Amino acid sequence: MHSLPVYIDGVESGSMKLYKEGLMTVFTAQCGVKQGGIVRLYLYGGGKCALLGTMRPNGSGMGIVRRFSRTELKKLPENIEYAADRPLRENIVSDTLWRRGKKGCLIADGLIAIPADENRLGAVSDKLRRIEGRSYLIFERKL
């Protein structure tokens, strides 16, 4: 059984457990916080995001149980880091100075960043980076 943190409104509010049940992989999340509105829980990892589902009130908090087949698991991030209602703010400071280029591209010394759609480019996730809230494919620039 594998356990991961669950964040609601940026605060760690519970945990999520992953375990095998026959041919299915089960995700069970429980939070001690009750929200007034609808809370959709997402899985985050490796720069990717996937909707787990909508949490339901239960007892003293909220919870969700989802089962995924092997095929459905391929649509989720490979290395899940946490579950949350929105992405956590990353305080990563990059030492690369980017400047605007043509057609939405960013240019740095020896690098070029081309705007990309994370959902369509899962096979090249090692080249995907988030810069100023947008996803880019990063390539070496040959001068």
Side-chain angles (χ1 to χ4, degrees):
M1 187 176 303
H2 188 62
S3 183
L4 298 167
V6 175
Y7 297 92
I8 304 295
D9 291 330
V11 177
E12 188 170 346
S13 304
S15 65
M16 180 174 68
K17 296 186 180 5
L18 287 76
Y19 58 93
K20 289 285 207 182
E21 190 175 84
L23 295 175
M24 306 296 273
T25 300
V26 181
F27 290 74
T28 303
Q30 184 66 36
C31 292
V33 177
K34 248 188 188 175
Q35 295 288 346
I38 295 172
V39 176
R40 288 184 179 86
L41 198 62
Y42 295 86
L43 300 173
Y44 293 92
K48 295 184 180 180
C49 168
L51 178 66
L52 180 63
T54 304
M55 297 190 80
R56 295 185 197 164
N58 65 6
S60 62
M62 299 181 300
I64 185 171
V65 177
R66 287 286 314 270
R67 289 173 174 75
F68 291 93
S69 68
R70 220 176 330 157
T71 305
E72 293 170 319
L73 281 175
K74 292 178 183 177
K75 298 175 186 175
L76 302 179
E78 286 182 34
N79 300 319
I80 300 170
E81 298 167 11
Y82 63 93
D85 60 341
R86 61 177 179 230
L88 296 177
R89 294 183 72 183
E90 296 180 16
N91 295 326
I92 299 172
V93 178
S94 174
D95 58 351
T96 306
L97 182 60
W98 295 100
R99 59 187 186 279
R100 300 268 173 220
K102 294 180 181 177
K103 298 185 180 181
C105 294
L106 300 176
I107 299 170
D109 293 331
L111 298 173
I112 185 165
I114 300 170
D117 181 6
E118 291 177 2
N119 299 327
R120 299 180 70 196
L121 298 171
V124 292
S125 61
D126 59 324
K127 294 186 184 294
L128 282 173
R129 298 287 181 272
R130 289 194 71 79
I131 303 169
E132 296 177 357
R134 275 187 81 186
S135 295
Y136 291 88
L137 273 172
I138 308 294
F139 295 99
E140 287 186 33
R141 195 168 66 136
K142 309 263 187 213
L143 300 173

